[in-house]
Amino acid sequence: MPRKKAKSTPIQKTIALVRPAWIERAGEELARGMEIRADFEEQLARFFDLLEQSVTSGDPAWMDSILLDWAKASTETNLEEGLYHVSFLLNRMIGISIQVAHDTLPRQQALDLLAAIIPIYTYGLGVVARYEMETRVAHISGEMEKVQKQMERVDKSKSAFISVAAHELKTPITLIEGYSSMMEDLLQAGRGADLNSLLNGMNTGIARLRAIVDDMIDVSMIDNDLLKLNFQPMQISQMVEALCKEVERTTRTRRLTVVRKDFEGNKTWIYIDPLRMQQALRNVLNNAIKYTPDGGSITFDGRLLPGFIEVTVTDTGIGISQDDQVVIFEKFNQLGRVELHSSSKTRFKGGGPGLGLSIARGILEAHGGSIWVESPGYDEKKCPGSTFHILIPTQTESPDPKMARLFDTLGKEK
């Protein structure tokens, strides 16, 4: 015999009666000023089905699936701002249910309906509140862990600064003290005419101190977004040629070969800050010199890319490990033990305050460019080498009309 269809209870009939009006009202009111997904109406229909099932069965747990789906959809921004959208949504739905019951049902039916669904809503608010609070706590814990790691990096950077500063400043200060003491001895002995060489030595120490202080000032300006750029038309080839002349004495002494390749874009006139860009390239070149053994080679090459000129600096040096290929661009980063480094910036594995590559990255990013390094790894015997990639934007316009006219003239001469 065919099974008889179960008769609907009065409350089921009432819920079915208000369903169209509830979905329409909820769709209109909840969509105002909120980012609603395309399937919002389907979600409302699903919610109402589960609400009806919960009332019919007497088990509010039917609502768990949709409530948790909604709660899990909270964005990172919601969590950061402490917004609990699902709780807010349920409270709005309670208000909508009361309004719909009042507008569409007789008084007693409305009261019966609300008596049946309000406990379901209350249960849902408890479920969502617990989940949102747990999610919020987990988010805050994650943020605190990030802050802790950042503080550890800052503390490590501070310790590195103290170590590097003490090591780097000690050499020129000792140099100045030594020459000053010798000058005092010569003056007391009445031999003041022999001071020229000592003064030159003191000037060397003072210049070294000034260079360290200037690097620290540059890093501070980069960190605080205070680096000002003076854009002028310049060719990459001109800067590379000037840099190669700067290091001729060092490369000759250490028998290093510097190769300059002619690549597309290196003679293109672009607007950059020539002094700052040359400083960035100089820091990369000095780094290559410092970590390339005597008799090695350094090669400038590049290519023209859409919107950028890529300059590569490739050396036959000791290479960089995968772990160090990111941290070398951090402030005060030194590979190896500071106390074992020579204070020379150009001697093999020489020292320095560990600011050169950090400053280079800051200058390039201020121009809208970037820098990164590739290396097979670190090996002082096989010397796998490293390649630094430098992206420089091909900016061909200047906000200064006079400078723009000069650029046009240079372009025609080319």
Side-chain angles (χ1 to χ4, degrees), residues 208 246-251 253-256 282 285-294 298 342-352:
R208 184 64 186 277
E246 283 184 18
V247 298
E248 272 184 359
R249 182 176 179 181
T250 299
T251 55
T253 301
R254 294 192 47 208
R255 295 178 288 105
L256 296 174
R282 179 184 297 112
L285 176 58
N286 284 339
N287 185 82
I289 291 173
K290 186 161 55 176
Y291 291 104
T292 300
D294 293 2
I298 299 166
S342 161
S343 292
S344 171
K345 284 190 174 185
T346 54
R347 188 177 301 172
F348 179 51
K349 295 174 64 177

Side-chain angles (χ1 to χ4, degrees), residues 65-362:
S65 60
I66 192 168
L67 294 176
L68 293 179
D69 285 347
W70 286 359
K72 290 177 182 178
S74 295
T75 64
E76 190 76 11
T77 302
N78 297 153
L79 294 172
E80 290 176 355
E81 296 178 356
L83 300 178
Y84 303 100
H85 278 186
V86 185
S87 298
F88 173 76
L89 200 63
L90 287 178
N91 279 303
R92 290 282 298 277
M93 285 180 172
I94 293 173
I96 291 169
S97 298
I98 293 172
Q99 291 174 1
V100 170
H102 177 270
D103 295 342
T104 61
L105 298 173
R107 179 180 177 82
Q108 189 57 50
Q109 262 189 304
L111 291 175
D112 292 342
L113 175 65
L114 294 177
I117 64 174
I118 292 299
I120 308 299
Y121 277 119
T122 303
Y123 169 83
L125 284 170
V127 171
V128 170
R130 286 195 302 272
Y131 184 83
E132 287 182 332
M133 187 56 66
E134 291 172 0
T135 304
R136 179 68 177 165
V137 170
H139 175 72
I140 293 175
S141 299
E143 291 299 303
M144 290 180 65
E145 186 176 349
K146 291 179 183 178
V147 171
Q148 183 178 0
K149 289 181 179 179
Q150 186 175 5
M151 291 178 65
E152 289 174 357
R153 287 196 297 269
V154 170
D155 187 63
K156 184 178 179 181
S157 179
K158 181 186 69 175
S159 300
F161 166 74
I162 294 172
S163 176
V164 171
H167 179 76
E168 289 299 316
L169 295 175
K170 181 179 179 180
T171 299
I173 289 175
T174 302
L175 189 66
I176 294 171
E177 284 181 342
Y179 281 118
S180 176
S181 177
M182 286 188 287
M183 290 173 66
E184 185 177 0
D185 292 341
L186 288 175
L187 287 172
Q188 289 178 354
R191 297 169 56 192
D194 299 332
L195 298 181
N196 286 338
S197 61
L198 300 181
L199 284 171
N200 290 334
M202 288 186 69
N203 287 333
T204 300
I206 292 170
R208 184 64 186 277
L209 281 174
R210 181 181 296 278
I212 295 171
V213 172
D214 286 344
D215 281 350
M216 291 182 177
I217 291 173
D218 285 343
V219 166
S220 177
M221 292 174 66
I222 290 170
D223 285 347
N224 292 284
D225 295 324
L226 296 176
L227 190 66
K228 302 296 182 183
L229 300 179
N230 179 24
F231 287 93
Q232 298 177 25
M234 179 60 67
Q235 295 175 330
I236 301 299
S237 60
Q238 293 178 337
M239 290 188 294
V240 173
E241 183 178 0
L243 288 174
C244 290
K245 289 182 179 179
E246 283 184 18
V247 298
E248 272 184 359
R249 182 176 179 181
T250 299
T251 55
R252 186 168 53 252
T253 301
R254 294 192 47 208
R255 295 178 288 105
L256 296 174
T257 301
V258 180
V259 179
R260 290 183 288 123
K261 292 188 176 181
D262 188 22
F263 59 90
E264 185 180 6
N266 74 328
K267 293 182 180 178
T268 300
W269 290 96
I270 58 175
Y271 278 102
I272 54 176
D273 185 324
L275 294 178
R276 287 298 186 183
M277 189 59 69
Q278 191 158 14
Q279 179 184 6
L281 293 174
R282 179 184 297 112
N283 289 349
V284 175
L285 176 58
N286 284 339
N287 185 82
I289 291 173
K290 186 161 55 176
Y291 291 104
T292 300
D294 293 2
S297 66
I298 299 166
T299 302
F300 279 95
D301 201 354
R303 56 178 175 166
L304 184 63
L305 298 173
F308 293 91
I309 296 174
E310 180 184 15
V311 179
T312 58
V313 182
T314 303
D315 61 59
T316 58
I318 58 179
I320 306 170
S321 69
Q322 296 296 322
D323 293 337
D324 288 331
Q325 287 179 26
V326 175
V327 299
I328 59 171
F329 296 102
E330 300 295 329
K331 299 187 295 290
F332 305 111
N333 185 272
Q334 291 269 11
L335 301 184
R337 294 168 56 186
V338 173
E339 67 272 16
L340 298 181
H341 283 191
S342 161
S343 292
S344 171
K345 284 190 174 185
T346 54
R347 188 177 301 172
F348 179 51
K349 295 174 64 177
L355 298 175
L357 294 179
S358 176
I359 292 172
R361 182 181 65 177

